[in-house]
Amino acid sequence: MVRPLGFLVGLGFIVALLCAIFTTPLTNEPQAAHAFHKHPRHIALSSDGLFPHWDKAKLQRGMQVYKEVCSACHSLNYVAFRDIAELGYTEGQVKSFAKSFQVPSINPDTGEPATRDGLPSDRFPAPYANEVAARAANNNALPPDLSLITKAREGGKDYLYSLLIGFENPPKNLPKELQPGTGLHYNPYFPNLNLAMAPPLADGQVTFADGSPNDVKAMASDVTAFLVWTAEPKLVKRVWTGWAVLLYLLIFTGLTYMAYRNIWANKEH
Amino acid sequence: MASETSLNAGIDDGVRRRDFINIAAVSFAGIGAATVVLPLVNQMNPSADVLALSSTEIDISAIQSGQAIKTSWRKQPVFVRNLTPAEIAEADKVPLGDLRDPQTLAERTKEGKENWLITLGVCTHLGCVPLGAAEGEPRGDFGGYFCPCHGSHYDTAARIRKGPAPTNLVVPPYEFTGDTVVTIG
Amino acid sequence: MSFPWAKNYEPQQPLMKWLDEKLPLPRLVYNAVGAGYPVPRNLNYFWNFGVLAGAALAIQIITGIVLAMHYAANAGVAFDSVEHIMRDVNAGWFIRYAHMNGASMFFIVVYLHIFRGLYYGSYKAPREMVWLLGVVIFLLMMATAFMGYVLPWGQMSFWGAQVITGFFSAIPVVGEPIRVWLLGGFAPDNAALNRFFSLHYLLPFVIAGVVVLHIWALHIPGSSNPTGIEVKDEQDTVPFHPYYTAKDGFGLGVFLILFVALTFFSPNLLGHADNYIPANPLSTPAHIVPEWYFWPFYAILRAFTFNFLWIDAKLWGVIAMFASIALLFFLPWLDSSPVKSSKYRPLYRIFFWVLVADVFLLGLCGKMPAEQPWVILSQIGAAYYFAHFLIILPIVSRIERPLPMPNSITEAVLAKHAGTSSASATA
């Protein structure tokens, strides 16, 4: 019974699929944006690869770029001030850095919303109180939270870096429907080519205490490195722990292989 | 683990070497398993954000003499009491020998700020919150705090005087960071 | 156990004797994976994957229980609680990444285990029940994995929940009420997240229970082997312990090396960037893809684009996707060949490898966007998939002339050793 019934069921599926094959057009709808879209450029960071480390000076510069530029519109919701001790700041520096931010609080006398100086246990305060406020201030576009941005985008750090340095004038042959509308900016690395964010960086915009270069590329690279850290502060620790575990497992596997060969030594199999 | 079954064939040194490898493999596996247990146990310890909340600032300017407030530090209640001169005198008058957990009031306060008694509001018996910090609450036979759970009485220096609690209410680590600002932790 | 020569458990110490009288648990273990279970001596490395799947299940349950101590199943804070685990909980990043990649490792070993069964005919009598219970485990795993993927409440979690529960809306009349009942709302939200968490916690223990039945059913006829010839006497077998405990120990080492490489060096390789964006019911990601282990089934779902007969394409897709797994329940009766191992089935062997290639093709189609040539490839792939199990396999098992088989496992082993030694001599 099973086989004849199965045969009929199978035939049903196959005929349905054959009909589908012969009715589906073999050509794709042309997507003009594809032709203008660019693949992200690679950026090499010290946190890449199998032997990573944090370039703390670079991360500190990146945080400065975030604070002076990005934080005007973008939140960093998952990062606490205490976390930046990992970037090489002392406890005192962390405290005074936290203090330079005002975080939301409640007036103890009236219960009204108020602000107070930041503490190391606080997280970076968001520039807008909520999504509606953020959209209202940004031409109905929502600036995404940056904590996880390098993990939350296809292409990760490469995409972010490319996007920051990728603003340009629209090419002459760009079809009309792909032209940036009002309040939009052409960027070939952005999925639909038109980005609500204006080019955020300009040469010399941020002055670094260590005198590092502050052209757009250098700043974009620094802030990208910083946002790789914010997305995964445990990255370096993770990889090096991995090496230790792997070393253990290689020895373990070697020993178990020898034990296996021993036990089977007199058994043909 | 047992490998005897298969290894009876040879009676030479090879047997001992083979046994050694089997034992080494099993012991090595044991070491690995034990190491993996560490993070699985450690994850239950306070996480970084909980540890970061370990200090709290309190403004004490509004507490009148004879009043107390309840606040919290590390999610535990803290009593801040502004002692009256009479309460201080009463605490100082008690002979240390009469105390279950001998401590003077001076030892339990900061120099020059003896009227500020800051203790955890956690009964040292089984962790209830004693009464006496808020207006109108019973303060026990010794005019300090009274724990209603099992009847522990604390005196004006929050020292245990009667009932099952073994020790005085704990004084948390704190310092005056301003004239009227206390940082606990 | 049907092996008269199987060793009997004989406790030596008084404590073990006492325990054996009151609760013969050590005896159970001894007979299940100890020296009391005779196993064919000729098992190859493909027989490691059962134990590895068990290890993967154990890893998932342990890491999962730990994660549940920190995770909050509430749409408002679920995403935050996962980031809290990643950033603040002691070793939280390790435990979460291990759980995430442990799911993938679990599916890898289970897929190898299933294809081992297909190649060596492990589903055939007298082991039909072992196979049926295995398919039940596979279904439970898929449900568990799907619900687990919803828990971080990222974009892929949310839209995965939306799409999968959307399958049910393809059922005429009752479909939409069922979908709303499953979600406890009209779109995935708190109610759905909470029940998925509850079930995601429960189902692994159900799986563990079915695994016990799976092993129990296996121990009645005993393990199959690469020749497909049943065990005849004692020299065909070796005791499970120490022979296969040692071999499985080595297999576990190799498995853990791959697992660790994935977890520590590239933990997000098999994930999707979109799931690091908090769920947003108002915006769908450009390209929704399930986790890799669902790709072949997702390709079958999408392959049906034609309203054939009175059933519309969407329903065809959903039926076909469920049928593609359900037909595995009938496999022991679809394949009527008495020969188990593909070693001696020259024709079936060819189709087996075509099926393997076909499943890889379907997987690739499931990953890619619904564009040509992937659509037509998925249609061809799906057609072969059903043809393989429902048409080709029954026919092949009738017309095929199997190769000559050895008389016993021992004979096959000795012949192989004679063969390899002469082969190496000539090489």
Side-chain angles (χ1 to χ4, degrees):
Chain A
M1 259 326 260
V2 170
R3 266 160 276 158
L5 272 178
F7 188 84
L8 286 178
V9 170
L11 217 54
F13 283 126
I14 289 163
V15 174
L17 283 164
L18 285 176
C19 294
I21 288 173
F22 291 115
T23 51
T24 315
L26 272 175
T27 47
N28 293 314
E29 305 250 330
Q31 282 186 310
H34 278 183
F36 295 92
H37 193 261
K38 286 189 195 165
H39 273 284
R41 298 160 64 152
H42 180 71
I43 174 177
L45 296 175
S46 69
S47 52
D48 295 349
L50 292 174
F51 309 100
H53 68 96
W54 297 120
D55 179 347
K56 289 183 179 173
K58 191 177 176 73
L59 296 185
Q60 294 192 2
R61 292 197 301 272
M63 188 173 79
Q64 194 186 342
V65 176
Y66 168 76
K67 189 186 175 188
E68 292 181 22
V69 184
C70 319
S71 71
C73 302
H74 292 277
S75 55
L76 201 60
N77 287 336
Y78 294 108
V79 184
F81 296 124
R82 62 185 153 84
D83 295 334
I84 70 165
E86 271 182 66
L87 305 188
Y89 292 104
T90 63
E91 203 186 323
Q93 284 171 315
V94 172
K95 273 189 178 161
S96 57
F97 183 81
K99 217 171 173 174
S100 70
F101 286 83
Q102 286 294 303
V103 299
S105 114
I106 293 170
N107 183 320
D109 298 324
T110 64
E112 296 287 322
T115 59
R116 60 168 172 80
D117 291 349
L119 291 169
S121 58
D122 289 318
R123 300 203 176 159
F124 278 79
Y128 304 106
N130 51 51
E131 189 183 327
V132 179
R135 285 190 187 277
N138 289 284
N139 199 15
N140 204 30
L142 179 68
D145 182 75
L146 295 185
S147 323
L148 284 162
I149 203 77
T150 52
K151 273 160 88 178
R153 292 291 180 275
E154 257 345 292
K157 63 185 170 67
D158 295 341
Y159 166 79
L160 178 71
Y161 174 69
S162 307
L163 197 76
L164 286 173
I165 62 169
F167 288 92
E168 59 188 42
N169 290 323
K172 295 234 163 45
N173 56 346
L174 192 68
K176 203 168 166 90
E177 69 274 14
L178 295 178
Q179 298 274 357
T182 326
L184 294 178
H185 308 272
Y186 184 80
N187 192 319
Y189 297 101
F190 195 64
N192 73 3
L193 305 177
N194 291 301
L195 183 54
M197 176 171 74
L201 298 168
D203 285 338
Q205 192 172 356
V206 175
T207 309
F208 296 122
D210 62 0
S212 291
N214 57 356
D215 54 303
V216 168
K217 278 191 176 170
M219 288 187 293
S221 159
D222 290 349
V223 80
T224 302
F226 173 65
L227 291 174
V228 166
W229 174 78
T230 63
E232 187 145 350
K234 304 289 196 291
L235 189 154
V236 168
K237 191 180 179 189
R238 185 191 83 209
V239 176
W240 289 104
T241 311
W243 280 116
V245 178
L246 203 60
L247 182 69
Y248 164 81
L249 279 176
L250 286 172
I251 300 171
F252 168 76
T253 309
L255 280 172
T256 48
Y257 183 71
M258 286 194 284
Y260 158 56
R261 294 304 300 251
N262 275 341
I263 287 168
W264 283 83
N266 304 320
K267 260 307 179 221
E268 286 185 334
H269 60 287
Chain B
M1 273 188 214
S3 53
E4 1 7 281
T5 18
S6 60
L7 297 180
N8 295 341
I11 328 158
D12 49 17
D13 276 357
V15 174
R16 256 178 287 154
R17 190 183 58 85
R18 289 170 173 187
D19 273 347
F20 170 75
I21 288 171
N22 296 347
I23 293 163
V26 172
S27 337
F28 211 67
I31 294 168
T35 314
V36 164
V37 168
L38 292 179
L40 296 177
V41 170
N42 189 32
Q43 53 86 19
M44 282 172 65
N45 275 319
S47 57
D49 55 327
V50 172
L51 293 175
L53 293 176
S54 53
S55 76
T56 308
E57 271 191 11
I58 309 165
D59 180 3
I60 55 171
S61 58
I63 308 170
Q64 304 296 319
S65 180
Q67 280 188 332
I69 60 159
K70 238 192 249 187
T71 174
S72 91
W73 170 64
R74 286 185 173 174
K75 307 276 171 185
Q76 302 177 96
V78 172
F79 296 156
V80 182
R81 179 175 289 284
N82 189 350
L83 297 170
T84 62
E87 286 170 334
I88 295 173
E90 200 185 319
D92 287 342
K93 177 176 87 183
V94 182
L96 279 187
D98 290 1
L99 293 172
R100 191 177 299 170
D101 180 13
Q103 255 187 330
T104 62
L105 178 63
E107 283 165 8
R108 294 170 59 75
T109 51
K110 299 284 179 204
E111 209 179 333
K113 300 272 189 187
E114 280 85 358
N115 60 321
W116 290 107
L117 177 66
I118 300 176
T119 58
L120 291 187
V122 180
C123 181
T124 53
H125 178 221
L126 291 173
C128 294
V129 181
L131 298 174
E135 212 68 47
E137 283 179 356
R139 296 177 62 174
D141 298 353
F142 300 88
Y145 300 103
F146 168 65
C147 182
C149 291
H150 307 94
S152 291
H153 298 256
Y154 297 90
D155 68 7
T156 51
R159 293 173 297 199
I160 181 65
R161 298 295 288 276
K162 190 177 143 191
T167 55
N168 303 334
L169 288 185
V170 173
V171 177
Y174 70 89
E175 53 187 301
F176 282 85
T177 42
D179 222 23
T180 59
V181 181
V182 176
T183 305
I184 303 181
Chain C
M1 315 289 147
S2 50
F3 306 104
W5 61 88
K7 288 199 189 75
N8 274 313
Y9 178 65
E10 276 155 26
Q12 301 299 320
Q13 293 132 326
L15 177 68
M16 297 309 275
K17 278 182 182 157
W18 181 85
L19 187 62
D20 192 49
E21 280 170 24
K22 321 293 174 201
L23 179 74
L25 199 59
R27 178 180 292 272
L28 182 79
V29 173
Y30 185 88
N31 289 330
V33 291
Y37 179 45
V39 183
R41 62 193 285 185
N42 60 335
L43 302 191
N44 59 32
Y45 281 113
F46 281 99
W47 265 260
N48 278 65
F49 292 103
V51 162
L52 293 183
L57 176 64
I59 290 171
Q60 289 305 87
I61 288 180
I62 292 168
T63 53
I65 288 173
V66 166
L67 287 175
M69 295 182 186
H70 304 281
Y71 171 76
N74 176 298
V77 293
F79 190 91
D80 292 9
S81 74
V82 173
E83 276 309 307
H84 165 67
I85 292 169
M86 294 297 290
R87 288 160 195 270
D88 290 334
V89 172
N90 301 305
W93 58 270
F94 160 62
I95 296 160
R96 194 250 175 162
Y97 274 153
H99 195 69
M100 208 168 117
N101 289 291
S104 284
M105 293 303 293
F106 196 2
F107 273 98
I108 289 172
V109 295
V110 163
Y111 278 133
L112 286 164
H113 193 56
I114 293 174
F115 277 102
R116 192 288 315 272
L118 289 176
Y119 185 84
Y120 290 108
S122 308
Y123 49 86
K124 291 185 187 184
R127 295 181 188 81
E128 305 97 311
M129 186 51 78
V130 185
W131 174 260
L132 297 182
L133 289 166
V135 180
V136 170
I137 293 171
F138 182 47
L139 282 171
L140 287 168
M141 275 177 68
M142 293 173 95
T144 309
F146 156 66
M147 287 188 279
Y149 195 58
V150 174
L151 301 184
W153 210 239
Q155 274 287 69
M156 280 295 176
S157 302
F158 181 91
W159 292 100
Q162 176 84 320
V163 169
I164 305 257
T165 54
F167 293 167
F168 292 90
S169 68
I171 305 168
V173 189
V174 293
E176 186 59 22
I178 289 178
R179 191 184 81 89
V180 171
W181 173 76
L182 282 173
L183 289 174
F186 304 95
D189 198 12
N190 240 346
L193 181 59
N194 258 301
R195 65 192 60 179
F196 283 7
F197 179 54
S198 168
L199 292 172
H200 182 73
Y201 205 121
L202 169 71
L203 288 186
F205 297 97
V206 179
I207 293 176
V210 185
V211 166
V212 170
L213 300 183
H214 187 66
I215 297 171
W216 187 6
L218 172 71
H219 279 58
I220 290 170
S223 300
S224 70
N225 70 84
T227 64
I229 302 160
E230 293 298 322
V231 167
K232 292 205 169 70
D233 57 28
E234 186 169 3
Q235 57 165 336
D236 286 346
T237 66
V238 291
F240 190 92
H241 179 74
Y243 288 95
Y244 286 107
T245 37
K247 194 169 181 179
D248 286 329
F250 169 57
L252 185 68
V254 175
F255 166 82
L256 288 175
I257 285 173
L258 291 176
F259 183 22
V260 156
L262 200 55
T263 301
F264 288 95
F265 297 146
S266 201
N268 295 305
L269 179 71
L270 301 171
H272 302 291
D274 284 287
N275 224 27
Y276 283 105
I277 305 172
N280 180 356
L282 302 180
S283 146
T284 311
H287 181 41
I288 305 189
V289 203
E291 290 289 82
W292 68 266
Y293 34 82
F294 293 135
W295 286 346
F297 304 101
Y298 192 56
I300 291 174
L301 173 83
R302 293 193 304 182
F304 289 81
T305 55
F306 183 76
N307 300 334
F308 179 61
L309 299 180
W310 62 95
I311 301 171
D312 73 343
K314 182 179 170 186
L315 186 54
W316 267 113
V318 173
I319 293 173
M321 192 185 64
F322 284 109
S324 67
I325 302 162
L327 60 79
L328 296 175
F329 281 113
F330 299 96
L331 189 59
W333 298 278
L334 288 167
D335 181 356
S336 59
S337 168
V339 180
K340 294 194 187 79
S341 173
S342 293
K343 236 178 165 173
Y344 308 108
R345 299 187 64 185
L347 197 51
Y348 172 73
R349 189 163 58 201
I350 296 166
F351 287 107
F352 170 84
W353 287 112
V354 176
L355 178 74
V356 171
D358 185 58
V359 170
F360 273 101
L361 173 72
L362 282 171
L364 188 60
C365 293
K367 175 194 203 282
M368 303 309 278
E371 289 167 8
Q372 295 293 8
W374 305 110
V375 177
I376 189 161
L377 287 175
S378 70
Q379 287 161 341
I380 294 167
Y384 179 77
Y385 184 91
F386 288 107
H388 176 91
F389 285 105
L390 298 173
I391 295 169
I392 296 171
L393 193 52
I395 293 175
V396 163
S397 54
R398 276 185 183 228
I399 62 170
E400 184 177 50
R401 290 191 56 191
L403 300 176
M405 291 167 49
N407 290 314
S408 73
I409 292 171
T410 306
E411 193 187 298
V413 169
L414 296 177
K416 187 181 103 182
H417 278 270
T420 46
S421 49
S422 63
S424 55
T426 50

